[in-house]
Amino acid sequence: MPPTTKGTGHAERRASHAEPQAGPAEPPAGDAEHRTGHAESQAGLRRLLDLLDRGAPAEEFARPAARAREAGAAAADLAALDEATDVALRVHRTLGAHRRREAELTALFDTASDLAALRDPDAVLRAIVRRAKLLLGTDVTYLSLNDEAAGDTYMRVTDGSVAAAFQQLRLGMGEGLGGLVAQTARPYVTGDYQHDPRFHHTGAIDSAVRQEGLRAILGVPLRLGSRVIGVLYAADRAAREFAREEIVLLSSLADHAAIAIDGARLLEETRAALVDLNAATETIRAHSQAMRRAEQAHDQLTDLVLRGGDAGDVADGIAALLDGGVLIHDVDGVELARTAAAPLPPPAQAVAASRASGRAVPQDGTWVCAVLAGPELLGSIALTGRPELADADRRLFERASVVTALLLLLRRSVAETEDRVRGELLNDLLSPTGDPVSLAGRARRLGVRLDSGHAVFVTHSESASRQRLLAAAHRVARARSGLAGLHHDGVVLVTPTGAPGDDARTLAAELGQAVGAAVTVGAAGPAQDSAGLPGAHAEASRCLSALRALGHAGHGAALADLGFVGMLIGEQADLGGYVRATLGPLLDYDAERGTELVRTLEAYFGEDRSLTRAKAALHVHVNTVVQRLERVGRLLGGDWNSPARSLEVQLALRLHRLTPSV
């Protein structure tokens, strides 16, 4: 339309908005045609759904849009209908793919059923290649089997082949397409084998393929678990590309085929075994005798444990039964017993292999068997001097590990009971209401004498579980003639010592290694009798809190090792008064206005008075840090950043973080 006409149209529209019309406007020309086209486009959408419902051919999906165009539908309606047509075609293709996949799966299930009914290995192989040809519709299908002795794969069955040289072909591992599939256990496909440089071409293979006239070849492995037993092929005499669905289909057939081949092989082997029934009967008789011997040995060792025998008695019994040297270790690798053998740490790799398989395994002339209680590893036993172990003796050795598990479980049960009693005593010792005379008597019965100096150690770990830390603490306490247990939800030890700080550092290292995580230890003492232990526990708890607040996780110390902070905490000084006198204006200002002056000051000193690093730590602009520090100066005085005054401020900040309630 010319510009003048457009301008006129705009003017008319403005006029129509400005002045209401007296009567109804006449419908513009073409509205009837527009309504007809719109109705036809809506009907077209319904027709697309009908086409999908009855599975119509793809070419029919263009007709609703064509009819809407003929009816004069608007451009927007046509665009919506075209878009709906595209969506309908995609749905149509998806449904078609699902139908094809359903048909393929049905064929595969039929194949599996047919193969399961066959008993003759040759009949199974012929059925596999015949079904592969029917499923993929190729000119030739064939199957090769791996010859483990010769280290190659040879043609076993073909369907559709006409060349004798091709039917007698052998492929070395990695040679040609089939040799590569057999070697790598992966499918390979080529649209034109003779001109494909990816494969190792040999004269014999290329000649046989040319005589057969093959060009497009697909090969998939026949796998039993991780072992490849052969290759299944589909090939055409014309160049072509195999679709992904064809590769998947042939691979699925190969999986069924491998199971059928193995089943037929096993059946054949079973038939051969039944031929020599007398030999099989003799083998069973010998096996039964070995089982009876193993059961008798198991009963003998079990009775030994139940009568109170220890790890040394069990090791002696196993060594006598198997005529070798025996070592028994716990789960941490600590030697529990040794008979007729030199010291030998448990081989971790062999223990892991035995744990995974549930069987005894050999390593460097030594047989190793994991000692298990269900999935839990309790320890291991090792048999030396018997590099060769018959199946019967191997089973006897494995039964010995079951008896050893019973022994270790009994030991653990006794230790847990003793640890519980020791933990109850520790709780009473740390309670200020306990009777010193009664507590001392109970301690003597457990082998703990409280008439010498004992220190209290309170422990904490951020990542190790409390139960794991408690178990490690019990082991350490027993080794030091002390006590361990839970008190106020913390793992606490009481052991004889004259240097709590040094022992705290040693304990932090030992416990950290035992649990595989950082352990912080606060110490106090030594207390000369049970009456001083509650106070020592309170001081050790304060020391632990100070260590954590000062960023010393994973270390051990007593309050005397913490300098001025330790003296303040140890003497129970007026921490609240000190913090209030030093930081009171800042604390009040933050509380009243919701600001972060105290946090800003901590970041400023923590980043070595660097404004740039402080603003990064606070995630604010550097100008904000400057403004806050100016406010700090107005509240604390202009000398707040001087060496002497800043030391007081930093100490108050540390104490405020340590005891935020003051």
Side-chain angles (χ1 to χ4, degrees):
M1 181 180 294
T4 55
T5 307
K6 287 184 179 178
T8 304
H10 287 312
E12 291 174 352
R13 283 194 292 272
R14 287 195 298 270
S16 66
H17 287 299
E19 298 180 4
Q21 299 297 321
E26 291 295 329
D31 271 6
E33 180 182 352
H34 175 76
R35 286 194 297 272
T36 301
H38 179 72
E40 184 60 38
S41 67
Q42 296 299 313
L45 293 174
R46 290 191 296 273
R47 292 192 191 97
L48 289 174
L49 294 175
D50 292 338
L51 293 174
L52 284 174
D53 180 56
R54 59 187 177 86
E59 56 269 16
E60 293 188 23
F61 283 78
R63 293 177 183 173
R67 293 180 60 175
R69 286 189 179 87
E70 293 173 359
D77 290 338
L78 290 175
L81 189 56
D82 288 339
E83 183 180 358
T85 301
D86 292 340
V87 173
L89 286 171
R90 289 199 299 271
V91 174
H92 180 269
R93 288 192 293 271
T94 301
L95 292 174
H98 288 172
R99 294 190 191 99
R100 288 193 301 274
R101 184 58 179 162
E102 183 178 358
E104 292 171 356
L105 290 175
T106 300
L108 280 176
F109 291 144
D110 292 343
T111 298
S113 177
D114 294 343
L115 293 177
L118 297 175
R119 296 292 181 266
D120 179 51
D122 289 336
V124 170
L125 297 177
R126 289 193 299 270
I128 291 169
V129 295
R130 187 180 307 115
R131 188 56 64 99
K133 189 175 183 183
L134 291 174
L135 288 176
L136 271 73
T138 53
D139 297 329
V140 182
T141 52
Y142 48 102
L143 182 148
S144 66
L145 294 179
N146 289 4
D147 187 337
E148 296 182 0
D152 61 9
T153 184
Y154 63 95
M155 204 69 68
R156 183 67 174 79
V157 180
T158 64
D159 193 328
S161 171
V162 295
F166 183 79
Q167 297 169 12
Q168 301 170 7
L169 188 62
R170 298 186 76 97
L171 298 84
M173 291 298 177
E175 294 180 353
L177 183 145
L180 191 58
V181 174
Q183 183 183 58
T184 64
R186 294 172 52 193
Y188 277 91
V189 62
T190 178
D192 194 345
Y193 174 78
Q194 296 287 0
H195 300 93
D196 197 329
R198 293 178 298 158
F199 305 107
H200 179 198
H201 291 267
T202 67
I205 297 174
D206 288 359
S207 174
V209 172
R210 276 195 301 272
Q211 290 182 40
E212 192 62 55
L214 300 181
R215 299 186 67 184
I217 304 175
L218 164 62
V220 298
L222 295 165
R223 283 179 295 203
L224 285 174
S226 59
R227 185 167 63 94
V228 178
I229 63 172
V231 181
L232 179 61
Y233 309 81
D236 273 331
R237 294 189 171 92
R240 57 163 289 195
E241 296 296 331
F242 284 94
R244 184 181 64 85
E245 292 79 6
E246 294 177 298
I247 300 174
V248 172
L249 181 59
L250 191 63
S251 297
S252 299
L253 177 59
D255 292 338
H256 289 298
I259 296 172
I261 292 171
D262 192 53
R265 178 188 62 80
L266 292 174
L267 182 60
E268 190 70 18
E269 291 176 356
T270 301
R271 289 170 177 167
L274 291 176
V275 173
D276 196 358
L277 183 59
N278 292 332
T281 303
E282 185 61 31
T283 300
I284 294 172
R285 184 181 298 110
H287 178 73
S288 298
Q289 291 175 350
M291 291 294 292
R292 282 195 296 272
R293 175 171 172 254
E295 290 173 358
Q296 291 170 358
H298 181 271
D299 293 342
Q300 177 182 342
L301 293 173
T302 302
D303 183 62
L304 178 66
V305 172
L306 296 179
R307 283 189 287 106
D310 57 12
D313 297 326
V314 173
D316 292 342
I318 299 173
L321 288 170
L322 295 175
D323 192 23
V326 174
L327 299 98
I328 302 178
H329 295 88
D330 67 10
V331 67
D332 296 317
V334 177
E335 182 183 294
L336 302 178
R338 175 163 47 92
T339 298
L344 177 69
Q349 184 176 0
V351 173
S354 175
R355 181 183 185 182
S357 64
R359 302 293 305 277
V361 297
Q363 179 172 311
D364 300 329
T366 298
W367 285 86
V368 179
C369 191
V371 178
L372 302 171
E376 181 185 0
L377 180 66
L378 300 178
S380 64
I381 55 175
L383 177 66
T384 63
R386 292 290 305 273
E388 300 295 331
L389 206 59
D391 287 344
D393 286 345
R394 180 176 180 174
R395 285 191 293 271
L396 195 155
F397 183 49
E398 291 166 353
R399 280 180 174 265
S401 73
V402 177
V403 177
T404 307
L406 174 61
L407 171 68
L408 296 182
L409 285 174
L410 289 174
R411 281 169 51 95
R412 185 168 71 178
S413 178
V414 171
E416 287 175 350
T417 302
E418 182 179 345
D419 289 342
R420 185 167 56 253
V421 173
R422 288 174 172 268
E424 292 171 354
L425 173 59
L426 181 136
N427 267 294
D428 292 341
L429 286 171
L430 299 182
S431 174
T433 60
D435 177 19
V437 176
S438 173
L439 292 174
R442 288 168 59 188
R444 282 195 300 273
R445 287 193 292 274
L446 294 176
V448 178
R449 299 189 64 86
L450 299 176
D451 52 3
S452 60
H454 279 66
V456 179
F457 303 90
V458 182
T459 69
H460 176 79
S461 176
E462 292 290 345
S463 53
S465 69
R466 188 172 62 181
Q467 198 59 37
R468 185 174 177 83
L469 180 58
L470 178 61
H474 276 304
R475 288 196 295 270
V476 172
R478 284 195 297 270
R480 298 185 179 208
S481 300
L483 301 170
L486 290 176
H487 186 70
H488 293 172
D489 293 329
V491 177
V492 182
L493 295 90
V494 173
T495 65
T497 181
D502 293 339
D503 280 7
R505 285 183 283 276
T506 303
L507 274 175
E510 289 183 6
L511 294 175
Q513 183 177 9
V515 301
V519 177
T520 310
V521 180
Q528 299 306 316
D529 53 30
S530 61
L533 292 177
H537 174 262
E539 182 176 325
S541 297
R542 292 196 301 274
C543 181
L544 176 64
S545 299
L547 285 170
R548 296 177 63 193
L550 295 173
H552 296 329
H555 297 273
L559 285 178
D561 303 318
L562 299 182
F564 182 49
V565 172
M567 288 190 297
L568 282 175
I569 297 175
E571 294 171 0
Q572 295 181 320
D574 183 13
L575 301 183
Y578 181 84
V579 173
R580 170 57 57 181
T582 308
L583 301 177
L586 300 186
L587 296 172
D588 294 339
Y589 192 92
D590 283 347
E592 293 172 2
R593 294 169 174 80
T595 55
E596 295 186 333
L597 297 183
V598 172
R599 181 166 173 260
T600 301
L601 203 54
E602 287 180 335
Y604 175 68
F605 284 122
E607 299 297 338
D608 197 20
R609 293 181 168 88
S610 170
L611 295 174
T612 303
R613 292 197 296 271
K615 67 96 176 175
L618 294 168
H619 304 290
V620 298
H621 195 273
V622 68
N623 291 340
T624 303
V625 178
V626 172
Q627 292 168 5
R628 290 179 180 178
L629 293 179
E630 290 175 353
R631 174 66 64 181
V632 169
R634 287 194 292 271
L635 292 172
L636 297 185
D639 64 337
W640 70 272
N641 205 13
S642 65
R645 184 77 186 281
S646 66
L647 177 60
E648 296 177 1
V649 172
Q650 291 182 64
L651 177 59
L653 288 171
R654 289 289 183 96
L655 291 175
H656 177 62
R657 189 193 319 156
L658 178 63
T659 54
S661 61
V662 300

